[in-house]
Amino acid sequence: MAWDLLNFIAVAAFAFSGAIVAMSERYDIFGVIILGVATPFAGGIARNLFLQEDVIHIWEQGIFLYVAFGTIMIVYFFPKSWVMFWNRWNLYLDAFGLSAFAIQGAIFAMNHELPLGAVMFSAILTGVGGGVTRDILAQRRPMVLHTEIYAVWALITGALIGFGIIDYTSTVQLYTLFVAIIVLRLLSFHLNWHLRFRDLYRL
């Protein structure tokens, strides 16, 4: 139940992020809904397709879909002066969603008894898929394609769970990993960490 609650919050965070991006790009209500719904759900749908597992369509998401729609409507009726303010905080919402969905993706693969490679792949695709979809629909360069470290944190999440370093049946360990990935993602942004080889020589 504790992890289900976190998933509710993660869906709301990604829906909020997608809707804020759409509002900042001056999309109409249809565009706001599309980005707000795609951001929390596209990663999981893509993951299932690639892993050849049953796909839970957006309209079959149950309470999660209502959480997303409720969040989108709140954002849409924000005073317009608030949109740019919240857009500056989108990084934090994205870090929250990245961490939660990467863990969710790894757990999904583990529950289906998939091999290590599939666990890491599932963590990456679930963690970054929604953000990539949001950025593409908003005609922005996806963060996963930047030199800035982004998808690596989802990869590490999958590896830690796949190798059994983190016990995915332990709520305490999952929440510790969740917080750690958020902190590392934010540090990598604020400290300008990169994966460029030439930067390694400066360390």
Side-chain angles (χ1 to χ4, degrees):
M1 289 300 294
W3 189 247
D4 287 341
L5 175 60
L6 189 59
N7 278 331
F8 281 123
I9 299 172
V11 166
F14 259 18
F16 193 103
S17 173
I20 283 292
V21 168
M23 293 286 288
S24 68
E25 296 292 337
R26 300 182 182 278
Y27 284 21
D28 62 15
I29 188 170
F30 181 73
V32 174
I33 291 173
I34 292 297
L35 262 70
V37 170
T39 307
F41 299 125
I45 291 174
R47 173 202 65 210
N48 286 27
L49 287 172
F50 275 101
L51 295 179
Q52 297 183 337
E53 299 289 343
D54 292 337
V55 175
I56 301 176
H57 297 287
I58 288 177
W59 52 87
E60 297 175 342
Q61 297 288 342
I63 188 64
F64 292 110
L65 183 60
Y66 298 127
V67 170
F69 267 113
T71 304
I72 292 165
M73 289 298 99
I74 290 172
V75 172
Y76 187 76
F77 290 105
F78 267 170
K80 297 302 180 282
S81 59
W82 290 13
V83 172
M84 293 311 296
F85 169 79
W86 281 108
N87 194 40
R88 290 196 294 269
W89 289 89
N90 223 350
L91 168 71
Y92 297 89
L93 295 171
D94 193 83
F96 193 106
L98 168 69
S99 180
F101 283 120
I103 293 173
Q104 182 195 88
I107 293 174
F108 176 90
M110 292 293 288
N111 286 336
H112 284 74
E113 300 181 349
L114 298 176
L116 175 62
V119 175
M120 293 190 290
F121 178 80
S122 180
I124 294 171
L125 199 55
T126 313
V128 309
V132 170
T133 303
R134 174 200 61 210
D135 293 339
I136 290 174
L137 290 175
Q139 299 182 2
R140 295 182 173 186
R141 183 175 60 165
M143 282 190 288
V144 71
L145 301 180
H146 293 194
T147 52
E148 171 197 328
I149 298 175
Y150 183 69
V152 171
W153 303 125
L155 173 65
I156 291 173
T157 299
L160 290 173
I161 293 176
F163 278 114
I165 298 171
I166 295 294
D167 180 4
Y168 71 96
T169 64
S170 168
T171 302
V172 173
Q173 291 190 37
L174 283 183
Y175 273 95
T176 300
L177 177 61
F178 168 71
V179 173
I181 295 300
I182 292 176
V183 171
L184 288 169
R185 165 60 189 144
L186 295 176
L187 283 174
S188 69
F189 176 81
H190 290 295
L191 298 181
N192 202 28
W193 293 348
H194 294 282
L195 291 177
R196 293 175 301 201
F197 286 110
R198 66 173 180 267
D199 291 335
L200 297 177
Y201 296 103
R202 302 174 187 172
L203 298 178

